[in-house]
Amino acid sequence: MKILAIDDQKLVLIPLENRLKELGYEILTETNSLRGIELYESYHPDLVIIDINMPLVSGIEVVKHIRNIKKSDTAIMILSGNTGDDMITEGFNLGINDYLKKPLSLVEVCARVKRLIGVPETPNKVILPKDIIIQQRCVGVVIPCYNEEKRLLSKKFTDFIVKNSGYHLCFVNDGSKDKTLRVLKDLTKGRKDFITVYNCEKNGGKAEAVRQGMLYMAKQKGLDYIGFLDADLSTDLTDFDNLVSTIEKFNYKIVSGSRINRMGANISKDAARNIISLTFNFFIRKILKMSFKDTQCGAKVFSKDVIEISFGKKFITRWVFDVEIFRRITLHFGLRKAKQILCEQPLKRWIHANGSKLSIKDSIKIMGNLGKIAWFYRRQRSKPPVKLNSLKTGNSNILKSAINIRYFFY
């Protein structure tokens, strides 16, 4: 029994292909709908599984080719996130056999396949997890890593991508001096379709590691959204997936996690960091002219069309690059529009992880960096771009800019 599956997102096709092969079906997959039509002509499948929203030629056009041009009664199953009544009605009027809405369980897909074309006599013996979800969207996640050999929770990452189709993890090794690179390469074994390692030979800091990873992932095909997440999983992957659900359902360009203490949430910060965070946020709100409660949470999701705006140029700071991102967005879109496309979403869980690279001493330096950001991006509004090497970075100048309040009110 032969199946042809056509979907422009490879991350959706891989678990589908693996499960159907496990059940004993022969299956070919294709991400290009035009090539999918050519395969249909030569492969003569018993079932075609197809998505609706694809570039070049839509799934409905492929259905029309099979039913109206080829006059074929090949079984057709639509597997799509398009849940409009008009589209569903058109599909059944054209003679499709089933219409499934993403996201949904892979178990349900396979049960409906069996109903349409029967069960192979000789199933394979490979057993895959049964609770895999076929997602409507595909997401790239950048995870910066510096000396994470002993802290990296490898199994949590691998378990997540097994159960949640549509995720591709990009670990950025930021010039680690321990065996982090080896640990990351081990993670990719047998998972290269879902895990990538981007290696920076020299340590450039978290800001540059995230920037390089985001720009790299933006070039990859089939991803709807791209975000970044801390390697220690202080924000867990389930909460990150909730951020993705928000940007998917609403008209936001960026959704940022927020470590706000509230009823029903498990937010664990040590007292000293909490006080420092409150101080930072006061000045950050003055810089951005926005009421963000927590810009520095290391979990954010972006629509692909704002990646270049947010990450195209190098950041001028190593730690508070999140503030720079939001400042770039406000300069590009204007403050009013920026407030409409930025969303701050409270997390259900955030746990401070031991071994954090950010010390109290670094926190003091951050205050100077905030002054540096305010001064630099204020000049961006009315003057040609300032060369980074023209900025004074001496400790005395940084501290002066940090405490000079007039820089924050403009």
Side-chain angles (χ1 to χ4, degrees):
M1 297 178 180
K2 298 191 293 185
I3 299 172
L4 172 63
I6 308 170
D7 194 307
D8 62 317
Q9 295 177 311
K10 187 177 180 181
L11 292 175
V12 170
L13 291 173
I14 293 170
L16 180 64
E17 179 180 9
N18 290 341
R19 175 53 57 84
L20 290 173
K21 283 183 176 178
E22 173 198 342
L23 295 174
Y25 295 100
E26 294 180 39
I27 179 169
L28 288 181
T29 62
E30 180 54 62
T31 57
N32 182 299
S33 49
L34 286 175
R35 288 199 293 267
I37 291 175
E38 294 175 1
L39 275 176
Y40 173 80
E41 303 285 354
S42 59
Y43 187 54
H44 304 296
D46 300 293
L47 169 65
V48 174
I49 301 176
I50 190 162
D51 187 19
I52 290 292
N53 299 321
M54 293 186 291
L56 301 179
V57 174
S58 72
I60 285 294
E61 293 304 315
V62 177
V63 174
K64 289 178 179 178
H65 176 82
I66 294 172
R67 290 289 188 256
N68 297 340
I69 297 177
K70 304 306 295 184
K71 307 295 183 182
S72 171
D73 60 357
T74 303
I76 300 175
M77 174 191 292
I78 289 180
L79 189 61
S80 178
N82 191 326
T83 58
D85 291 341
D86 291 344
M87 185 61 67
I88 295 172
T89 300
E90 182 179 5
F92 279 108
N93 286 340
L94 286 170
I96 66 169
N97 301 87
D98 208 346
Y99 197 119
L100 301 182
K101 303 175 185 179
K102 301 176 186 174
L104 75 162
S105 166
L106 187 54
V107 170
E108 181 180 352
V109 177
C110 294
R112 290 175 181 261
V113 168
K114 292 176 183 178
R115 180 181 63 82
L116 286 176
I117 61 174
V119 182
E121 295 180 0
T122 56
N124 294 324
K125 297 180 180 180
V126 179
I127 303 298
L128 298 176
K130 296 187 179 299
D131 51 352
I132 298 175
I133 300 298
I134 296 293
Q135 297 287 359
Q136 180 177 344
R137 43 26 181 199
C138 290
V139 185
V141 187
V142 173
I143 302 131
C145 301
Y146 178 67
N147 292 347
E148 298 287 353
E149 173 192 355
K150 296 180 180 180
R151 291 205 311 163
L152 195 69
L153 303 173
S154 301
K155 191 173 187 303
K156 287 191 176 182
F157 286 111
T158 55
D159 286 350
F160 182 79
I161 61 171
V162 166
K163 294 180 180 180
N164 294 269
S165 74
Y167 272 91
H168 189 112
L169 309 182
C170 176
F171 292 90
V172 180
N173 178 47
D174 186 24
S176 298
K177 297 177 181 178
D178 62 1
K179 297 178 182 178
T180 295
L181 184 58
R182 181 184 300 177
V183 172
L184 295 179
K185 287 184 176 179
D186 287 342
L187 270 179
T188 66
K189 292 179 180 178
R191 307 181 185 94
K192 290 186 177 180
D193 290 314
F194 302 99
I195 298 179
T196 295
V197 175
Y198 186 97
N199 186 39
C200 301
E201 293 185 2
K202 295 182 179 180
N203 175 249
K206 181 180 178 180
E208 184 60 12
V210 170
R211 192 181 80 90
Q212 291 288 344
M214 294 293 287
L215 292 175
Y216 171 80
M217 291 302 283
K219 297 176 183 177
Q220 310 309 307
K221 296 180 179 180
L223 296 177
D224 299 301
Y225 309 104
I226 305 171
F228 59 86
L229 185 69
D230 289 337
D232 59 19
L233 288 181
S234 49
T235 300
D236 68 19
L237 288 157
T238 301
D239 250 347
F240 186 86
D241 191 57
N242 289 336
L243 301 183
V244 174
S245 295
T246 297
I247 200 170
E248 177 186 10
K249 293 176 182 177
F250 302 98
N251 195 30
Y252 295 119
K253 296 295 184 182
I254 302 175
V255 176
S256 177
S258 180
R259 299 161 294 183
I260 301 173
N261 280 308
R262 60 192 176 93
M263 187 177 294
N266 181 16
I267 307 297
S268 174
K269 292 183 184 179
D270 62 58
R273 286 175 180 270
N274 196 39
I275 294 171
I276 292 171
S277 178
L278 290 172
T279 305
F280 289 165
N281 287 335
F282 171 78
F283 289 107
I284 288 169
R285 287 195 293 272
K286 299 303 179 183
I287 293 172
L288 296 177
K289 295 185 178 180
M290 300 175 72
S291 58
F292 260 81
K293 300 292 191 300
D294 180 17
T295 59
Q296 299 311 111
C297 178
K300 293 178 175 61
V301 183
F302 298 73
S303 175
K304 284 187 75 173
D305 58 354
V306 297
I307 298 296
E308 181 62 29
I309 298 166
S310 304
F311 298 93
K313 295 180 180 179
K314 282 191 174 185
F315 298 112
I316 65 171
T317 62
R318 288 171 64 96
W319 292 106
V320 285
F321 66 95
D322 311 72
V323 179
E324 291 194 61
I325 291 172
F326 294 138
R327 194 69 186 96
R328 290 174 179 185
I329 292 295
T330 58
L331 286 175
H332 183 87
F333 290 101
L335 184 59
R336 182 177 179 180
K337 179 66 174 178
K339 289 180 177 179
Q340 296 173 353
I341 64 176
L342 297 175
C343 172
E344 185 177 28
Q345 178 168 311
L347 300 173
K348 294 179 180 178
R349 172 194 175 276
W350 188 90
I351 304 296
H352 171 69
N354 293 328
S356 172
K357 307 298 186 302
L358 187 62
S359 66
I360 299 299
K361 184 179 179 180
D362 291 325
S363 299
I364 296 172
K365 291 180 180 179
I366 286 175
M367 190 62 77
N369 285 332
L370 290 177
K372 189 176 179 181
I373 290 171
W375 182 74
F376 180 82
Y377 286 97
R378 182 184 183 185
R379 291 170 62 91
Q380 296 296 299
R381 297 177 64 186
S382 57
K383 296 183 180 182
V386 179
K387 293 182 179 180
L388 297 185
N389 58 14
S390 70
L391 293 173
K392 294 181 179 181
T393 57
N395 290 335
S396 61
N397 289 317
I398 290 176
L399 290 175
K400 287 179 182 178
S401 64
I403 62 176
N404 194 337
I405 301 300
R406 72 172 182 270
Y407 281 133
F408 295 107
F409 295 89
Y410 58 90

